Amino acid sequence: MASFVPQNLLKLLIVISLLQISLAARTLNEAAQAQQQPDRLLQYHNGALLSGKIAINLIWYGKFNPSQKAIISDFITSLSSYSSQSKANQPSVATWWKTTEKYYHLISKKSTLSLSLGKQISDETCSLGKSLKNGDIVKLASKGDQKDAINVVLTASDVAVEGFCMSRCGTHGSASGSIKSSGHNKNNKFAYIWVGNSETQCPGQCAWPFHQPIYGPQSPPLVAPNNDVGLDGMVINLASLLAGTATNPFGNGYFQGPKEAPLEAASACPGVYGKGAYPGYAGNLFVDSTTGASYNAHGAGGRKYLLPALYDPATSSCSTLV
């Protein structure tokens, strides 16, 4: 199971122990050394990658208003929205996502992945309570289709999840399920993601750079492009975990380090959103002249998003849109 670790917690752990080699404590020097040795970074472990047409099912746990749901669903739609590719709509979410294709092309020129928005399931009453364990996340993820799908569990701001805000902002993994085939149940593995809304619990950890960081260099927070610190933070974490899911869905794809805490396509570039980024500074970004919001990608329906850098295996460097 791979987790998305907040940048500021990463910095704190570096200060505490430069000897730790887990993902949560990866130092900038280690990252630099890894990038100088591209043959050692994000090795392929001969496992299956997701391919073909994959639906992203959203499982809403707790209360989200319609505008909040639209921020996430529009982001998912934007991943494969290649229409209106004019200069005014560039760089786009779809352009950002194309970096993941390079991982597929390393092992097969024929392998492709096409994502689309699938079903949306709501559990507003929080049927499993408001304090969830890892097993509860898997139960919720199991509500979605278990074939040709990624099931994304999204927990509301008043829902506590094991490890949330302490060591992770979200996670991705795989679980065993069953599908009907020729009238019989057949064992099957499906991929899932969990992301929490950190707005009231730990925005300084999981919604940076839209909130003042708890640790590390202090800089003014950026204005969120969709005017919702919690949801815009969720988009960043979801984007990171989607990239990890596509390139390492079952724990034996592209990664470096221990399988339990792997370095993946997005987590290899912590805190980088634009060129010139450094600890405490997200990088050179676009700024909306009307709202003052910072962003680096255009999405469907006129949306704007801030997306993390992805490690580009072709250049052995962190690739940013701006």
Side-chain angles (χ1 to χ4, degrees):
M1 180 183 293
S3 299
F4 184 74
V5 182
Q7 180 204 21
N8 297 298
L9 180 59
L10 198 66
K11 296 172 188 172
L12 176 65
L13 290 172
I14 290 172
V15 174
I16 293 174
S17 174
L18 291 176
L19 298 179
Q20 278 188 300
I21 59 174
S22 69
L23 170 61
R26 186 173 178 82
T27 68
L28 295 177
N29 284 337
E30 287 174 322
Q33 290 171 4
Q35 291 189 25
Q36 292 168 8
Q37 304 174 49
D39 58 318
R40 292 179 56 192
L41 189 63
L42 305 192
Q43 294 181 12
Y44 178 53
H45 294 75
N46 301 312
L49 303 185
L50 299 178
S51 61
K53 295 181 178 180
I54 301 293
I56 299 179
N57 300 313
L58 304 179
I59 297 132
W60 303 94
Y61 191 79
K63 291 186 178 181
F64 291 87
N65 63 46
S67 63
Q68 290 179 318
K69 290 184 177 181
I71 292 171
I72 300 292
S73 59
D74 286 348
F75 167 67
I76 299 300
T77 301
S78 301
L79 291 168
S80 57
S81 179
Y82 288 98
S83 60
S84 302
Q85 293 289 294
S86 66
K87 289 184 179 180
N89 294 315
Q90 289 296 327
S92 68
V93 174
T95 301
W96 172 83
W97 183 249
K98 284 183 72 68
T99 297
T100 62
E101 294 180 5
K102 297 181 180 182
Y103 289 86
Y104 284 73
H105 294 162
L106 289 175
I107 58 175
S108 173
K109 296 295 183 183
K110 296 181 179 179
S111 294
T112 59
L113 175 62
S114 176
L115 300 179
S116 63
L117 180 63
K119 298 176 181 177
Q120 297 196 52
I121 302 168
S122 293
D123 187 347
E124 278 198 18
T125 60
C126 296
S127 60
L128 300 181
K130 290 192 174 184
S131 182
L132 304 179
K133 301 294 185 182
N134 290 330
D136 295 322
I137 297 297
V138 175
K139 287 180 184 177
L140 292 170
S142 299
K143 293 184 176 183
D145 294 336
Q146 297 179 13
K147 178 177 171 56
D148 298 329
I150 300 172
N151 294 333
V152 179
V153 178
L154 303 156
T155 51
S157 59
D158 61 344
V159 175
V161 177
E162 182 178 357
F164 188 37
C165 296
M166 298 177 65
S167 61
R168 58 184 183 169
C169 301
T171 192
H172 82 84
S174 62
S176 298
S178 63
I179 57 174
K180 282 192 176 182
S181 179
S182 301
H184 300 283
N185 287 332
K186 182 180 178 181
N187 291 334
N188 181 59
K189 263 194 170 184
F190 67 93
Y192 70 88
I193 293 172
W194 158 69
V195 177
N197 183 348
S198 66
E199 183 177 16
T200 60
Q201 298 185 52
C202 56
Q205 290 173 288
C206 295
W208 186 86
F210 303 127
H211 191 280
Q212 197 81 15
I214 295 178
Y215 311 111
Q218 298 294 303
S219 56
L222 304 180
V223 177
N226 295 287
N227 198 34
D228 191 314
V229 170
L231 269 292
D232 278 300
M234 290 182 82
V235 168
I236 291 175
N237 299 327
L238 176 56
S240 300
L241 292 166
L242 275 173
T245 300
T247 56
N248 186 31
F250 305 114
N252 52 10
Y254 287 97
F255 69 92
Q256 184 192 45
K259 185 176 180 179
E260 297 75 21
L263 191 71
E264 298 177 324
S267 55
C269 305
V272 178
Y273 298 91
K275 289 180 175 59
Y278 54 82
Y281 176 62
N284 299 320
L285 305 171
F286 295 127
V287 177
D288 188 288
S289 59
T290 301
T291 65
S294 296
Y295 66 99
N296 60 8
H298 293 270
R303 291 277 187 192
K304 295 180 175 70
Y305 295 103
L306 183 64
L307 303 178
L310 295 179
Y311 184 80
D312 187 333
T315 62
S316 300
S317 64
C318 292
S319 174
T320 60
L321 287 171
V322 296

